[in-house]
């Protein structure tokens, strides 16, 4: 029997959050030679759904009219600024009821916020787009948000990182249902990685915001950013402000949310990323230019912060 897959699309939805997963399931049907999946888009009301790109899609069903028991898999697609929205209680009630009667349910990108508002994330491990991961964790403190993950499976819950990660999620669901070989065939036909290397933090462009805190701390932040290779011990940084090291460290963390050491490492990692993206400088030279003792120290810090190695990062993100 074909498995029914439905994607909830709110007004302003990211088109690829809807189309990407559906194309993966459709390709699985093609590769298998039969309809392993039936597919549907669920709108919040009658009529076309205008996406964030301005293109419109026609829903197959309207949430208020669809039976909550009708689906094997229910996914909620994301939309720009969804983390700032409060959806209508009727839609959230429907999502909650439908999800609890599905074999599995989940979200693509910021669609996790709708699952959270529907009461489906409490105590769960989830991921979402790196740019709104902190907002998700802040809004739903009972949820374990893993901002570097591409996809997370936790019981019946399936969540994916931003936009194209919806394809990764759908491919993982195909593998779960139909086996690894068919999933590999689907990936090959769609010219996508069967298993993506590294986490999503390698794509993060959070970088470093404008200096914050009192003026003396802002001056220190500017100095570190301008001179990443310098020796930035707490003692040296405190001396620039005229504070004692202990007072400086306590104040810096209170006003920036980071320890001085963490801030310095963030600055250095961002400097490394820029050099990796812009040219072919040897990793050993980059390490010295950005304040790391040697290439091995840089590599360990980079893997911890970005989720992949400098060499792999350059291969994926650098200039050709």
């Amino acid at each position: 029997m074909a498995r029914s897959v439905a994607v909830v699309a709110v007004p302003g939805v990211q088109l690829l959050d809807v189309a990407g997963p559906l194309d993966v399931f459709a390709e699985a049907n093609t590769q298998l030679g039969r309809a392993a999946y039936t597919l549907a888009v669920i709108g919040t009301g009658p009529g076309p759904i205008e996406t964030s790109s301005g293109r419109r899609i026609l829903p197959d069903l309207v949430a208020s009219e669809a039976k909550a028991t009708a689906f094997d898999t229910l996914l909620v697609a994301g939309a720009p600024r969804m983390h700032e929205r409060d959806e209508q209680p009727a839609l959230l009630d429907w999502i909650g009821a439908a999800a609890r009667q599905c074999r599995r349910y989940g979200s693509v990108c910021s669609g996790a916020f709708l699952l959270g508002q529907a009461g489906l994330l409490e105590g769960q491990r989830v991921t979402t787009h790196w740019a709104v991961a902190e907002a998700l964790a802040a809004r739903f403190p009972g949820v374990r948000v893993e901002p570097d993950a591409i996809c997370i499976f936790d019981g019946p819950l399936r969540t994916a990182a931003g936009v194209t990660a919806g394809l990764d999620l759908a491919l993982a669901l195909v593998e779960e249902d139909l086996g690894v070989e068919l999933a590999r065939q689907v990936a090959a036909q769609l010219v996508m990685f069967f298993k993506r290397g590294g986490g999503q933090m390698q794509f993060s462009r959070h970088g470093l915001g404008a200096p914050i805190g009192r003026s003396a701390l802002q001056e220190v932040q500017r100095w570190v950013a301008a001179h990443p290779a310098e020796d930035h011990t707490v003692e040296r940084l405190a001396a620039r402000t005229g504070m004692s090291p202990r007072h400086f460290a306590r104040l810096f963390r209170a006003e920036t949310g980071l320890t001085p050491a963490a801030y310095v490492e963030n600055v250095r990692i961002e400097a490394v990323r820029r050099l990796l993206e812009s040219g072919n400088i040897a990793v050993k030279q980059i390490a010295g230019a950005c304040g790391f003792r040697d290439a091995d120290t840089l590599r360990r810090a980079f893997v911890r912060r970005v989720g992949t190695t400098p060499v792999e990062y350059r291969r994926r993100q650098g200039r050709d």
Side-chain angles (χ1 to χ4, degrees), residues 294-315:
D294 52 40
D296 286 340
T297 304
L298 164 58
R299 184 183 186 281
R300 289 193 295 272
F302 200 84
V303 169
R304 184 173 65 254
R305 294 279 183 174
V306 185
T308 190
T309 66
V311 171
E312 183 65 17
Y313 183 85
R314 170 179 277 159
R315 189 177 73 81

Side-chain angles (χ1 to χ4, degrees), residues 56-74:
R56 296 181 176 184
I57 54 178
L58 290 174
D60 299 287
L61 300 165
V62 175
S64 60
E65 301 172 359
K67 292 183 179 180
T69 59
F71 313 108
D72 173 82
T73 302
L74 181 72

Side-chain angles (χ1 to χ4, degrees), residues 81-155:
R81 320 307 302 180
M82 184 171 276
H83 61 291
E84 299 174 352
R85 294 163 55 166
D86 290 311
E87 295 299 331
Q88 294 297 318
L91 174 63
L92 298 176
D93 289 345
W94 183 89
I95 290 174
R100 291 183 179 94
Q101 297 183 67
C102 291
R103 179 170 64 96
R104 62 193 178 195
Y105 59 91
S107 60
V108 179
C109 196
S110 58
F113 284 85
L114 265 70
L115 296 184
Q117 291 179 58
L120 295 167
L121 299 185
E122 187 68 21
Q124 301 285 101
R125 293 172 53 246
V126 306
T127 192
T128 187
H129 193 292
W130 59 264
V132 295
E134 291 182 4
L136 184 67
R139 184 163 185 178
F140 305 105
V143 177
R144 292 173 54 194
V145 180
E146 299 186 14
D148 189 43
I150 298 295
C151 299
I152 289 182
F153 286 23
D154 190 2

